[in-house]
Amino acid sequence: MPMKCKTDCGKNAILKRPKTGDALCRQCFFWAFETEVHNTVTAAGLFKRGQYVAVAASGGKDSTVLAHVMKELNERYDYGLRLVLLSIDEGITGYRDDSLETVKRNRDQYGLPLTVLSYHDLYGWTMDDIVRQVGLRNNCTFCGVFRRQALDRGAALLGVDQIVTGHNADDIAETVIMNVLRGDIARLQRCTAICTGTEGSIPRSKPFKYTYEKEIVMYAYFKKLDYFSTECIYSPNAYRGHARAFLKDLEAIRATSIIDIIHSGESLAVRDAARLPAQGTCTRCGYISSQAVCKACVLLEGLNQGQPRLGIGKCSKVRERLQQARREVGPGDALKAGETLPPAAGVRRSGDADGGQTAGPWPPSETSRADRPHNTATGAARCCGGAGACIADGACARDIP
C-alpha cells in the first residue's frame, strides 16, 4: 500500500526528505523546500526592498535552483528585489563553455538579464592555460581565488547591492571540516556566516545555508529544471573531495550530521589571545584581502613571471618567494607595492575614476608576454601563450615544469 504524505493532504508520498525523513508528495515537498529557504532569508534579514541582487550562476544544480527559487520567492512574498544573473567563464574547454549555454537558457526561461565575465578578459589567462602551467595538483587554488575576485569585479561592474551564491549546507559543512583539518581558525570563524563582506565591499549571502544538497537535486528533478550536471574536468583531485567523501559517510550513519557540523562551526569561539588576520583591501587591486597584497595578485604575478607556484603555500613562505622572485627578475619588471592591477576593460570599481592604474598592458596580450625577459633563475621563460616567442632551452616556457 502506497505511503501517504505526512501533511495529511491525502496524496501519495513520492519521496522521503533526506533532511528530516518525512514522506511527502510532490507539491508538499516544493512548499516545504521553498518555505524553509524563505524562513532562512527572513530570519537573517538578508535583503531590503529595492535592492539590486546578482545571482551567481554557473549552470549547475545549485545556482539553477537558486535562480528559480529567488525569482519565485521574490514574486510570492514581494521582496521587491531586482535580480540579475552573473556568470564567470573560467575558460575550461568542454566544461564551462557547455554550462554557460545552460545559463543562457536559464536567462530566457526566468526572464532575468545575464552578464558574463571571463578569466581571459580579467586576468589574461584561462584555466586551460593555468593547468598547462601548474598541472592538476594546485589548479583549484587558482580557480577558487580568481573566481571569488571575478564575482566581486562583476558585481562592481553591475553596481549591485549584494551577491547571492548557491552554497548549500553540504558545502558549508565540508568547509568547516577542511578548516578544522588545516587549523585555519580565521576562516573557521567566518565560513559558517550566512552573509560575508567587510565594510565597503559588496556582501555575499547564502540562502541555501541550511538546505541539503540531496534536496536541491530532488527539487531540480521534480521541477524539471534545466541544469548542467557534469563535474569539472579539473576537480577530481581537489582537497575538498576528501572532506565531501567523509561527510557523506557521516550522513549515511546520521542524517543530521551536516546540520550538526554547521551548528558546531557557528558555536565555536576563539580565545582573545589568538591572533587573527584583519580583513582589509589589497594595496594593488583594491579588492578584499587579509594581506597587504591579495592572493589573486600574488598568483597572477607568479603566472606572469613563469613561476606559477610562487603564491602557493603559507603566507610567510609566499612573501619570501615573492621577494626573492622580484630580486631575481629585477626591480623594474615586477609590479611594485602600491601599483594596481586594473579591472578588465570596461570594469570599474566603485570610486575609481579610470578603473585603476595600469602596470603594463591589460589584459596581457600574447605579444606583451612574448616580449618579457626569460627568468634565468629557473631556466624558464615568461609564457608566450604558445606563440613560440619565449623559447628557453628549445621549448616554450609553458612546456617547462
Side-chain angles (χ1 to χ4, degrees):
M1 182 177 179
M3 184 179 295
K4 292 295 183 180
C5 178
K6 187 177 180 179
T7 62
D8 296 327
C9 67
K11 297 179 181 179
N12 292 335
I14 63 168
L15 61 86
K16 186 176 181 180
R17 291 191 65 185
K19 184 176 182 180
T20 63
D22 294 338
L24 298 175
C25 68
R26 187 192 305 261
Q27 293 304 319
C28 288
F29 170 66
F30 293 157
W31 176 86
F33 184 96
E34 294 164 0
T35 301
E36 285 186 5
V37 175
H38 170 66
N39 290 340
T40 300
V41 168
T42 54
L46 293 184
F47 309 119
K48 296 179 181 178
R49 173 171 290 277
Q51 281 191 324
Y52 189 24
V53 178
V55 180
S58 66
K61 63 183 184 312
D62 298 320
S63 63
T64 299
V65 172
L66 177 64
H68 175 84
V69 171
M70 284 296 300
K71 183 175 186 297
E72 287 289 319
L73 297 182
N74 189 39
E75 295 173 353
R76 182 184 306 166
Y77 296 103
D78 193 22
Y79 290 168
L81 304 176
R82 288 195 301 137
L83 300 176
V84 60
L85 300 177
L86 174 60
S87 291
I88 306 300
D89 181 4
E90 300 93 344
I92 303 175
T93 305
Y95 170 71
R96 182 56 71 205
D97 45 0
D98 292 338
S99 69
L100 284 175
E101 292 302 315
T102 304
V103 176
K104 292 174 183 177
R105 293 195 297 271
N106 293 157
R107 170 198 61 194
D108 300 333
Q109 292 159 358
Y110 304 149
L112 299 176
L114 168 65
T115 297
V116 180
L117 296 179
S118 71
Y119 280 10
H120 183 270
D121 291 339
L122 292 172
Y123 307 113
W125 295 81
T126 66
M127 274 309 299
D128 288 341
D129 295 334
I130 293 171
V131 169
R132 282 192 285 268
Q133 286 279 318
V134 304
L136 292 173
R137 182 168 182 176
N138 294 299
N139 58 290
C140 288
T141 299
F142 286 84
C143 192
V145 171
F146 287 163
R147 182 177 176 79
R148 283 190 291 273
Q149 190 184 91
L151 283 173
D152 286 337
R153 289 172 178 260
L157 168 66
L158 293 171
V160 301
D161 300 302
Q162 189 172 161
I163 307 170
V164 291
T165 64
H167 291 95
N168 56 53
D170 297 56
D171 297 326
I172 297 173
E174 290 164 11
T175 304
V176 171
I177 293 172
M178 291 168 63
N179 289 331
V180 169
L181 295 176
R182 290 187 299 211
D184 195 334
I185 300 299
R187 286 191 176 92
L188 186 58
Q189 265 201 320
R190 62 177 183 264
C191 71
T192 58
I194 193 170
C195 188
T196 57
T198 58
E199 184 178 353
S201 66
I202 299 174
R204 299 186 192 186
S205 59
K206 311 180 189 77
F208 287 168
K209 177 182 177 181
Y210 299 113
T211 306
Y212 276 31
E213 182 180 42
K214 288 181 179 178
E215 297 198 355
I216 292 174
V217 174
M218 287 180 174
Y219 186 91
Y221 174 77
F222 287 113
K223 279 283 187 179
K224 294 181 170 50
L225 300 183
D226 184 4
Y227 68 95
F228 186 75
S229 58
T230 303
E231 185 182 19
C232 175
I233 59 176
Y234 296 140
S235 69
N237 297 321
Y239 182 55
R240 179 176 288 273
H242 301 291
R244 180 177 295 118
F246 175 62
L247 185 65
K248 294 305 179 187
D249 289 340
L250 291 177
E251 185 186 9
I253 300 169
R254 179 185 171 92
T256 59
S257 294
I258 294 173
I259 293 295
D260 292 341
I261 290 173
I262 295 176
H263 289 328
S264 297
E266 292 172 335
S267 302
L268 285 174
V270 181
R271 66 180 187 273
D272 295 336
R275 295 176 58 188
L276 298 176
Q279 289 288 330
T281 55
C282 175
T283 57
R284 292 188 185 177
C285 65
Y287 288 94
I288 185 171
S289 174
S290 59
Q291 304 293 326
V293 180
C294 73
K295 192 76 168 179
C297 288
V298 173
L299 291 174
L300 187 61
E301 182 167 343
L303 287 170
N304 289 335
Q305 288 186 10
Q307 300 183 59
R309 298 186 182 277
L310 186 69
I312 296 175
K314 294 184 177 180
C315 294
S316 58
K317 294 182 179 179
V318 167
R319 284 195 293 269
E320 292 174 4
R321 289 198 294 266
L322 188 59
Q323 292 171 358
Q324 181 181 0
R326 286 172 177 166
R327 289 194 296 267
E328 292 169 348
V329 173
D333 196 50
L335 287 172
K336 299 176 183 178
E339 288 184 319
T340 303
L341 289 176
V347 178
R348 297 178 184 271
R349 295 191 306 272
S350 176
D352 282 354
D354 57 0
Q357 298 176 346
T358 62
W362 190 267
S365 65
E366 301 302 332
T367 303
S368 65
R369 287 183 188 169
D371 290 340
R372 290 172 177 165
H374 290 171
N375 187 334
T376 55
T378 62
R382 306 277 180 84
C383 185
C384 66
C390 67
I391 301 298
D393 299 328
C396 172
R398 178 172 291 175
D399 300 321
I400 299 175

